Amino acid sequence: GSRQHTTMVSADALAEVATAVAGGSPSSGGSPRGGSGSRSSLRPRRSKEREGETVEGPPPDFRCPAAQPPPSFRCPLSGELMQDAVRLGDRSFSSASLRGRGMSTWRPHTLLPKADHVLRSQVHDCLCERYASVVLRLRMVSAVTSAAPEAAAAAAAAAAALEAHDGAGKVGIAVAGGIIPLVKLVSCDGDATRRAAAAALAALASHPANKREIAAAGGVRALVAMLLAESPEESKAAACEAIWHLATGSGENRALLVQEGALPPVVALVSSQVAQSAAVRVLRQVAVDVEHARRLVDAGVTHPLLQLFIDASPARVDASEILWSLCMEPTSREAVSAAGGASLWWLYPSALPGLA
């Protein structure tokens, strides 16, 4: 019987053939079927350096194309990758998409969803393969932050931020181990690198599964240190954006922000034209917990927030939510009234309850 043989082609050979296909073209006098036609363009070209000539052009790209997850890896309900796949009947779903849905609509009714470990492992391997090159660059530049060029570190962080805006990238970069290198880059010296790393963490933190992991890796402390450092307002705005995503929907991260001393620098940014919107959104998330009302007042939040109403700033919508939360606590309500909130009550009675 005949045997099947598998041919292994090296990456160098593939890159050389790809370069020849991209650059090789039939000669003007040759026939398409001749020796100088399309058939010869597939052959690897000889290097002209042997003849003393210099070959100009970009180097060959050795990166493997990103593996696109197959449709079977996505939940039929939400369309998200089933990193937490569960089996229900003869189909798999994301556990998060099933949460809160009436199980009586599924058949058989007596069967509860069970973890689909095979599919979870397949999704995990696919994400690791797809984002391995992005995370590898992050690890390389974060391991030698003092010796790595600023442009290389900033480019690696910017590439991660770009990939993290994709739904699969938010999960894939975290699964492949990209959170810890990004936290290290936030603490480096280069401003461009810190800004790009903060943008990447903001994109990752928008996914609920990454919030706790970023905080556990020291991301909250690193971002607060970025606010306290002497850096441009654009960088502080990027840090506030990441902090806002971390605080949204996570009481643990909100408490950690207060513990790390994030309130004074964030309150100081309320008067900034660049970082004002992000800073007010951070304060709005902190004000969700009534126990933080007194800490907000101690940080001096009342005067800057009331000034937003006087200036008719677009951020006054979020500021009204903060003041409403402060007025729910008696001591903080007195502080808002003493700062001039009572004079604005007739304009914004719903935002300043109890000041009449």
Side-chain angles (χ1 to χ4, degrees):
S2 59
R3 296 182 179 179
Q4 296 180 353
H5 299 276
T6 303
T7 304
M8 300 298 296
V9 183
S10 63
D12 296 344
L14 288 175
E16 192 172 1
V17 172
T19 306
V21 173
S25 59
S27 60
S28 58
S31 170
R33 297 178 182 270
S36 60
S38 60
R39 182 177 299 176
S40 62
S41 64
L42 295 177
R43 300 174 184 172
R45 294 181 298 173
R46 294 173 179 261
S47 176
K48 294 184 179 181
E49 296 180 356
R50 297 181 181 178
E51 303 175 4
E53 301 180 9
T54 303
V55 180
E56 298 181 356
D61 191 354
F62 293 98
R63 294 176 300 176
C64 297
Q68 296 293 336
S72 59
F73 285 4
R74 295 188 178 275
C75 178
L77 296 176
S78 62
E80 299 290 336
L81 288 174
M82 291 185 286
Q83 187 186 7
D84 55 345
V86 292
R87 194 76 176 174
L88 187 62
D90 58 347
R91 302 187 66 181
S92 293
F93 302 90
S94 172
S95 177
S97 64
L98 290 180
R99 213 170 284 131
R101 296 176 179 265
M103 299 303 296
S104 59
T105 60
W106 302 99
R107 291 184 298 175
H109 305 292
T110 58
L111 187 63
L112 294 177
K114 298 180 180 180
D116 192 344
H117 296 290
V118 175
L119 184 55
R120 290 184 181 186
S121 178
Q122 292 175 349
V123 173
H124 181 275
D125 294 342
C126 178
L127 292 175
C128 288
E129 179 182 358
R130 183 179 183 184
Y131 298 98
S133 59
V134 177
V135 175
L136 179 60
R137 290 180 61 188
L138 291 175
R139 289 178 176 175
M140 291 175 63
V141 297
S142 64
V144 288
T145 51
S146 58
E150 169 71 9
L162 183 63
E163 293 287 351
H165 280 85
D166 178 54
K170 298 178 190 298
V171 180
I173 293 178
V175 168
I179 290 181
I180 294 179
L182 284 173
V183 172
K184 291 182 179 179
L185 291 178
V186 168
S187 305
C188 71
D189 297 331
D191 181 68
T193 304
R194 288 185 296 178
R195 189 185 312 173
L201 287 178
L204 293 178
S206 63
H207 195 283
N210 298 332
K211 297 179 185 292
R212 179 175 296 182
E213 186 175 353
I214 294 175
V220 174
R221 178 172 299 178
L223 291 169
V224 172
M226 187 174 173
L227 293 177
L228 296 173
E230 295 292 335
S231 57
E233 291 187 352
E234 292 78 7
S235 299
K236 293 185 178 181
C240 282
E241 191 73 19
I243 291 175
W244 172 64
H245 282 293
L246 287 172
T248 303
S250 176
E252 296 180 1
N253 288 346
R254 291 194 293 267
L256 186 59
L257 284 172
V258 176
Q259 180 181 349
E260 294 292 342
L263 295 184
V266 172
V267 170
L269 292 175
V270 174
S271 303
S272 169
Q273 296 297 327
V274 178
Q276 181 182 92
S277 176
V280 174
R281 281 185 280 125
V282 170
L283 296 175
R284 180 181 178 181
Q285 287 300 320
V286 176
V288 169
D289 304 315
V290 181
E291 60 268 20
H292 298 153
R294 190 66 234 178
R295 302 292 293 270
L296 287 169
V297 172
D298 294 341
V301 75
T302 52
H303 287 284
L305 291 181
L306 293 174
Q307 187 65 34
L308 295 179
F309 288 91
I310 298 175
D311 298 339
S313 172
R316 69 181 184 274
V317 177
D318 291 324
S320 64
E321 297 288 342
I322 301 172
L323 292 173
W324 187 90
S325 299
L326 294 180
C327 291
M328 292 296 100
E329 201 271 327
T331 307
S332 301
R333 182 168 59 247
E334 294 176 1
V336 174
S337 178
S343 61
L344 293 175
W345 176 86
W346 64 278
L347 286 176
Y348 307 97
S350 60
L352 304 172
L355 298 185

